[in-house]
């Protein structure tokens, strides 16, 4: 009986070791992308997607966001993900949501991206061959945003490298993004 129990424990430890190793190396297999290349990839995804929307919409960009990779003990592996959100200015009416999602899906497919759709959340996403991802989400009140992410990038260890100094920010008197009325998209 002790032999069986010892054998079962050994097999369980071996399987657990393989699972843990498999989980930790899956992310490690992807090449780490340089920060400038990641920013360029994100901007290309967001710009191309915004240009695919017809009629055109205004938008506002958030700053880049860095999220470091860390394990259960909060130990960093020296890598991070880089993301940026683009908020569309007009409120998207329920009747126009499928039109917007369809335009973006068509654009992404034409670019050779792998497209996924979540109808329950009114969310469509695409993955580029290099692993960069973009999603568009239309919230129930019509607020709409595009989110692009590149992962992994070298963890810069600071957020100050990613402040977007070039994009003008709305003044406090400006109409909040997603609340503006558009003759086509909001009706």
């Amino acid at each position: 009986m002790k032999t069986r129990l010892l054998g079962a424990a050994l097999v369980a430890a071996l399987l657990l070791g393989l699972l843990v190793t498999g989980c930790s190396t899956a992310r490690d297999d992807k090449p780490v992308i340089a920060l400038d290349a990641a920013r360029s990839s994100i901007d290309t995804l967001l710009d191309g997607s915004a240009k695919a929307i017809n009629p055109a919409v205004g938008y506002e960009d958030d700053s880049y966001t860095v999220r470091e990779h860390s394990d259960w003990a909060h130990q960093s592996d020296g890598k991070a993900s880089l993301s940026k959100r683009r908020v569309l200015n007009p409120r998207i009416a329920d009747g126009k949501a499928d039109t917007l999602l369809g335009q973006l899906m068509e654009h992404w497919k034409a670019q050779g991206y792998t497209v996924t759709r979540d109808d329950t959340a009114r969310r469509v996403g695409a993955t580029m061959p290099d692993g960069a991802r973009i999603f568009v989400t239309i919230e129930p009140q019509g607020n709409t945003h595009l989110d692009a992410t590149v992962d992994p990038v070298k963890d810069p260890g600071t957020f100050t490298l990613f402040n977007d100094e070039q994009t003008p920010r709305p003044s406090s008197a400006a109409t909040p993004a997603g609340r503006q009325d558009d003759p086509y998209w909001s009706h």
Side-chain angles (χ1 to χ4, degrees):
M1 189 69 164
K2 282 186 177 184
T3 306
R4 281 190 192 165
L5 195 53
L6 183 59
L10 183 60
V11 169
L14 181 61
L15 287 174
L16 182 60
L18 288 173
L19 286 172
V20 169
T21 303
C23 291
S24 65
T25 60
R27 190 183 255 179
D28 294 341
D29 290 343
K30 292 175 72 175
V32 178
I33 299 169
L35 297 173
D36 288 341
R39 280 181 78 161
S40 178
S41 182
I42 285 172
D43 290 337
T44 298
L45 278 170
L46 291 172
D47 291 344
S49 298
K51 288 178 185 171
I53 300 171
N54 186 22
V57 297
Y59 55 83
E60 296 168 13
D61 282 347
D62 286 343
S63 294
Y64 293 92
T65 303
V66 177
R67 178 171 287 148
E68 75 172 342
H69 294 180
S70 60
D71 62 13
W72 59 273
H74 305 289
Q75 298 296 313
S76 176
D77 66 359
K79 300 173 192 167
S81 65
L82 180 66
S83 302
K84 186 176 184 180
R85 175 171 281 186
R86 177 165 289 175
V87 180
L88 303 185
N89 288 338
R91 183 185 59 79
I92 306 299
D94 285 339
K96 299 295 169 106
D98 284 337
T99 302
L100 179 77
L101 295 175
Q103 287 179 3
L104 289 170
M105 286 175 39
E106 186 176 307
H107 168 72
W108 293 335
K109 286 178 184 176
Q111 301 301 311
Y113 305 163
T114 303
V115 177
T116 57
R117 182 170 182 157
D118 180 356
D119 289 320
T120 60
R122 295 197 316 180
R123 179 179 167 130
V124 174
T127 305
M128 294 175 58
D130 69 359
R133 297 181 317 266
I134 187 164
F135 293 92
V136 61
T137 305
I138 303 174
E139 296 174 358
Q141 57 281 68
N143 295 342
T144 304
H145 50 87
L146 295 162
D147 295 290
T149 302
V150 173
D151 188 358
V153 297
K154 181 173 176 16
D155 186 358
T158 179
F159 295 101
T160 57
L161 294 176
F162 297 99
N163 288 337
D164 186 354
E165 304 289 333
Q166 304 304 315
T167 305
R169 299 286 178 249
S171 69
S172 59
T175 304
R179 304 262 191 246
Q180 295 176 0
D181 190 64
D182 179 87
Y184 176 80
W185 291 108
S186 301
H187 301 280

